[in-house]
Amino acid sequence: MPDTSRPTSRTASRWAGIPPTVFAEMSSLAVRTGSVNLGQGFPDEDGPAGLLEAAAEAIRGGANQYAPGRGVPALREALVEHQRRHYGIELDPDTQVTVTTGCTEAIAAALMGLVEPGDEGVLLEPYYDSYTAMLQACGAARRPVTLRAPDFRLDPEALRAAVTPRTRFVLLNTPHNPTGTVLTEAELRAVAEVAVEHDLTVITDEVYEHLVFPDAGTDPDAPDGVRRHVPLSTLPGMAERTLTLSSVGKSYSVTGWKVGWATGPAPLVDALVAAKQWLTYTSGSPFQPAVAHALRELPDEPRRLRDALQGKRDLLVDGLAGAGLPVTTTPAGTYFATSDVSHLGWDDGLAFCLALPERAGVVAIPTQMFHDDPHGAGRHLVRWAFCKREEVLTEAVERLASADLAR
Ligand code: GLN
């Protein structure tokens, strides 16, 4: 049985032309071919035992019926504390926080709740695949601002040029999947200036907020000169127009729990909830107290994970270089690194990724799937996930090093 569905003649036109999500396709390719899966970004180790136990305890303790639509109070309180502790953001747990079924639902509900048919949104390209699918389903158009290899920086001029009189919103992702870019203070400021100037609503996907590496480098515009994740909502003029989305999956290695959240001004949260209530009604009851427990009692876990991931990143980056697949730049955050495969004679990253299981027994993700023009800036780029055990990464790079990868 295929685990994804392709649009058919019976599928409504709002989904026309949208392929099955590349992550599921590539994961099933990995299973079919017995390949090492460096495609879909999910860790191959569980989150901390205390977190797992808290969920089991919640189930045993009877947290098995509908939770409140906006989430259980303990989790909303824990999220308020989280935003205060990390970023100095103050929120009202009753009106400015809602729990969602993963960030993917938060993205869908935010767009359904806030966007009118015909609206235009500015997005960083390459775009995470659910953004484009949901924009199309909402009848909205996208205006790309392309992040280009090797370093994937945001060009403020391109950002300004992307805005038209129909532009109503920005959908921003930092730390950025698939490029691993972490926007700098100057880049965020450019986004904020454009948003204020054109009175745009901003939806930010910050699911990799805690996965910015200690060696991410300097940021001359940061108060202490250190490059880190900065929520756009903390910039001047942004708190009142930014809906911030995140989740527990990446920070605590429980991507299958699907617990996400949205924080921001009450009218923006209300708009999201207007849609969310008809999508999932409420989100998984026993996971919510468990996530509240993690945020409160296990606050060091994301840092531990981040430090471990930095070592895994280096293992993969060094191994890829040794295998003739050097990364375009060492990523500052996320789970992902990118290689350019054009020097091996491939003019198409999808063709490379489809050949890779047979050539090397490894699966990766073609970045061109996240670009409007498959022959454009992402054509030769391939994304590798490094959120895997060290022996898995070692096996993958050994396979790559001993394979014939030339076209
Ligand atoms: N966020 C994960 C990735 O980028 C995949 C999530 C999904 O499969 N939809 O690899």
Side-chain angles (χ1 to χ4, degrees), residues 23-335:
F23 302 114
E25 293 276 294
M26 295 314 270
S27 279
S28 62
L29 180 63
V31 170
R32 269 202 319 276
T33 58
S35 295
V36 179
N37 189 358
L38 302 190
Q40 193 175 25
F42 62 91
D44 57 1
E45 290 176 294
D46 275 338
L51 171 58
L52 309 184
E53 187 46 44
E57 184 56 39
I59 290 175
R60 281 192 298 268
N64 299 306
Q65 309 311 325
Y66 299 125
R70 290 179 183 236
V72 301
L75 179 51
R76 283 186 277 119
E77 294 282 358
L79 289 166
V80 169
E81 282 169 28
H82 174 275
Q83 295 301 93
R84 180 186 300 134
R85 187 167 72 244
H86 287 283
Y87 310 120
I89 296 169
E90 293 297 336
L91 296 163
D92 173 0
D94 294 326
T95 60
Q96 298 186 299
V97 181
T98 191
V99 175
T100 59
T101 302
C103 192
T104 299
E105 190 203 30
I107 291 159
L111 294 173
M112 293 176 87
L114 289 163
V115 169
E116 298 287 354
D119 284 357
E120 270 182 16
V122 170
L123 278 73
L124 302 182
E125 185 193 47
Y127 346 87
Y128 185 60
D129 64 351
S130 88
Y131 304 164
T132 41
M134 284 311 305
L135 282 178
Q136 176 173 318
C138 291
R142 55 186 184 260
R143 300 278 300 166
V145 179
T146 305
L147 307 177
R148 293 172 195 281
D151 57 358
F152 306 111
R153 299 303 350 146
L154 172 66
D155 173 359
E157 286 314 308
L159 173 68
R160 293 190 174 284
V163 178
T164 80
R166 301 176 76 93
T167 305
R168 297 283 175 272
F169 65 97
V170 178
L171 173 50
L172 195 75
N173 172 217
T174 182
H176 184 258
N177 178 6
T179 66
T181 280
V182 178
L183 293 189
T184 62
E185 297 253 354
E187 289 166 335
L188 290 169
R189 222 175 289 152
V191 176
E193 278 167 17
V194 166
V196 170
E197 187 183 325
H198 296 276
D199 193 22
L200 307 178
T201 298
V202 187
I203 303 162
T204 64
D205 171 352
E206 307 187 8
V207 296
Y208 297 98
E209 61 185 316
H210 293 304
L211 304 184
V212 177
F213 303 117
D215 69 357
T218 56
D219 183 343
D221 300 306
D224 56 2
V226 176
R227 181 120 161 252
R228 63 165 59 81
H229 171 66
V230 177
L232 187 71
S233 71
T234 61
L235 270 67
M238 295 312 291
E240 57 268 41
R241 63 178 70 249
T242 305
L243 188 63
T244 303
L245 313 180
S246 192
S247 76
V248 72
K250 313 296 190 291
S251 305
Y252 285 83
S253 300
V254 284
T255 59
W257 281 19
K258 304 299 296 174
V259 176
W261 48 81
T263 57
L268 298 186
V269 172
D270 288 348
L272 182 153
V273 171
K276 185 250 169 2
Q277 66 183 330
W278 306 118
L279 289 169
T280 50
Y281 181 44
T282 71
S283 299
S285 303
F287 294 120
Q288 297 190 39
V291 173
H293 169 83
L295 295 176
R296 285 205 167 119
E297 307 299 330
L298 306 167
D300 295 332
E301 170 60 17
R303 219 166 331 175
R304 189 205 62 73
L305 177 66
R306 172 200 77 181
D307 291 351
L309 270 173
Q310 181 172 286
K312 294 175 181 206
R313 178 202 64 186
D314 292 343
L315 201 169
L316 179 71
V317 165
D318 293 348
L320 287 172
L325 290 160
V327 298
T328 62
T329 187
T330 300
T334 75
Y335 287 160

